[in-house]
């Protein structure tokens, strides 16, 4: 991907998400290790990243920013205000800032960074750790079309990327950001049921993990039918699946799930407002 050639990338915070992105970028050959620099508060973490991926360790956050074209902000949301204030003066050359922190808004980034800072806000999810992530991105006011493409290329190293409006970010957070947990919750319930029916725990896990990943792969296959159609196809009248779906419908499981996801959206709104204060 030509757009990443010679682009110097700094990761401020080298935790799980930064590692997923770095591993993906190198695995896909999108950039070279000597184009990447990291910072982290934990010396052991810095050493681990340098040894594992041969990336450079910057002396400080400011040095990392001053010597990079793209700065990935990969610390926890609570630490972002302090970090941005720290690096502000090192950003006079206007690198592109890409934030992956949940709830950190474009306006927060823009008001804390120098005027006309080019910022992109992202919402990734944990399957990024194995290159199967879903990331939504939106651009700040000064970010260019080229910046969006660059951000997409970087984030594509961890999975699929979509562009959204910032107003959609809380909904995206509720659906794909928190989404993996809903799938795990379903898996937990299926494993509990399997064990209650007398299957041993190992067999229960094998059946459930393969079934859920198989169903996801089927829904994701080229030209796959809609999930609702796929469900109807396995639900024969009077059959076992129909009995399960009828039991779920009797308990309004679908409505409860929708209510739960709306609660996640509401919490995303609240958290963003708290971080803004
Ligand atoms: N994990 C997810 O599922 C997920 C999903 C979507 C978005 N995100 C976002 O991704 C971001 C990173 O998450 P993560 O799971 O990778 O977190 P993490 O593993 O805790 O990584 C953050 C790293 O940054 C370090 N750090 C903190 N403040 C720093 C500073 N001022 N300068 C340099 N390094 C600093 C932390 O050190 P200490 O441990 O010493 O603080 C930690 O090693 C978060 O903002 C989160 O909202 C995560």
């Amino acid at each position: 991907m030509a757009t990443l050639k010679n682009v110097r990338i700094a990761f401020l915070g080298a935790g799980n998400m930064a590692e997923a992105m770095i591993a993906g970028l190198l695995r896909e050959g999108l950039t070279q290790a000597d184009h990447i620099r990291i910072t982290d508060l934990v010396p052991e973490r810095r050493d681990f990243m340098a040894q594992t991926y041969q990336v450079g360790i910057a002396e400080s956050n400011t040095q990392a920013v001053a010597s990079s074209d793209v700065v990935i902000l990969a610390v926890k949301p609570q630490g972002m205000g302090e970090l941005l204030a720290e690096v502000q003066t090192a950003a006079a050359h206007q690198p592109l800032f890409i934030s992956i922190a949940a709830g950190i808004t474009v306006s927060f980034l823009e008001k804390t960074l120098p005027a006309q800072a080019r910022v992109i806000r992202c919402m990734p999810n944990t399957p990024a750790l194995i290159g199967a992530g879903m990331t939504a991105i939106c651009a700040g006011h000064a970010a260019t079309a080229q910046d969006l493409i660059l951000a997409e290329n970087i984030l594509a190293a961890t999975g699929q990327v979509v562009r959204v409006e910032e107003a959609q970010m809380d909904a995206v957070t509720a659906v794909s950001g928190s989404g993996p947990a809903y799938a795990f919750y379903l898996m937990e319930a299926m494993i509990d049921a399997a064990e209650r029916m007398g299957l041993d725990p190992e067999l229960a896990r094998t059946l459930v993990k393969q079934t859920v990943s198989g169903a996801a792969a089927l829904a994701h296959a080229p030209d796959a039918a809609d999930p609702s159609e796929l469900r109807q196809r396995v639900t024969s009248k009077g059959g076992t699946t129909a009995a399960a779906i009828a039991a779920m419908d009797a308990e309004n499981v679908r409505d409860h799930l929708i209510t739960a996801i709306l609660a996640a959206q509401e919490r995303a709104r609240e958290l963003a407002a708290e971080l803004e204060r």
Side-chain angles (χ1 to χ4, degrees):
M1 229 167 274
T3 42
L4 283 187
K5 200 165 175 263
N6 298 327
V7 173
R8 299 164 303 166
I9 307 174
F11 285 84
L12 308 189
N16 294 315
M17 275 291 161
E19 181 173 1
M21 291 176 71
I22 291 169
L25 285 167
L26 298 177
R27 185 178 59 237
E28 303 292 328
L30 296 175
T31 187
Q32 301 145 244
D34 60 5
H35 285 39
I36 298 177
R37 226 156 304 176
I38 58 137
T39 69
D40 201 278
L41 296 179
V42 185
E44 294 77 21
R45 184 68 189 164
R46 296 195 291 263
D47 293 343
F48 167 82
M49 292 298 287
Q51 274 161 24
T52 310
Y53 300 101
Q54 280 74 53
V55 294
I57 302 174
E59 283 164 26
S60 63
N61 287 321
T62 48
Q63 195 250 337
V65 171
S67 58
S68 295
D69 307 302
V70 175
V71 178
I72 317 273
L73 300 164
V75 302
K76 292 282 188 207
Q78 296 74 11
M80 195 61 90
E82 202 177 317
L83 177 67
L84 294 178
E86 180 191 343
V87 302
Q88 201 189 32
T89 52
H93 64 302
Q94 297 286 20
L96 171 63
F97 284 92
I98 300 178
S99 166
I100 61 165
I104 296 289
T105 60
V106 163
S107 76
F108 182 86
L109 295 164
E110 288 178 343
K111 77 175 179 232
T112 322
L113 287 166
Q116 292 306 308
R118 291 146 56 218
V119 309
I120 305 265
R121 175 184 174 189
C122 311
M123 185 63 214
N125 67 9
T126 48
L129 300 174
I130 55 156
M134 178 71 254
T135 303
I137 67 173
C138 65
H141 298 94
T144 64
Q146 196 57 31
D147 291 336
L148 264 168
I149 293 170
L150 194 64
E152 275 172 341
N153 290 348
I154 291 173
L155 288 151
T158 61
Q160 196 172 332
V161 184
V162 290
R163 294 183 190 186
V164 299
E165 297 296 325
E166 186 168 37
Q168 298 172 306
M169 271 296 184
D170 294 328
V172 166
T173 303
V175 174
S176 60
S178 301
Y182 314 149
F184 301 140
Y185 189 88
L186 172 69
M187 291 167 83
E188 284 176 67
M190 289 171 71
I191 290 168
D192 285 350
E195 290 184 21
R196 205 179 292 186
M197 291 183 290
L199 302 183
D200 73 59
E202 201 188 325
L203 176 59
R205 275 167 185 67
T206 303
L207 293 175
V208 170
K209 284 195 275 185
Q210 180 59 20
T211 300
V212 172
S213 69
L218 188 59
H220 219 259
D223 301 323
D226 205 57
S228 121
E229 166 67 21
L230 289 172
R231 177 176 63 77
Q232 280 163 40
R233 282 185 201 166
V234 292
T235 313
S236 345
K237 211 168 169 210
T240 55
T241 313
I245 300 290
M248 286 195 250
D249 283 348
E251 297 290 339
N252 293 321
V253 171
R254 179 193 294 249
D255 288 342
H256 290 312
L257 283 173
I258 293 169
T259 304
I261 295 169
L262 295 179
Q265 181 193 30
E266 186 50 35
R267 186 65 188 136
R269 277 195 197 116
E270 286 169 8
L271 285 173
E274 280 168 26
L275 289 163
E276 205 88 9
R277 265 179 234 134

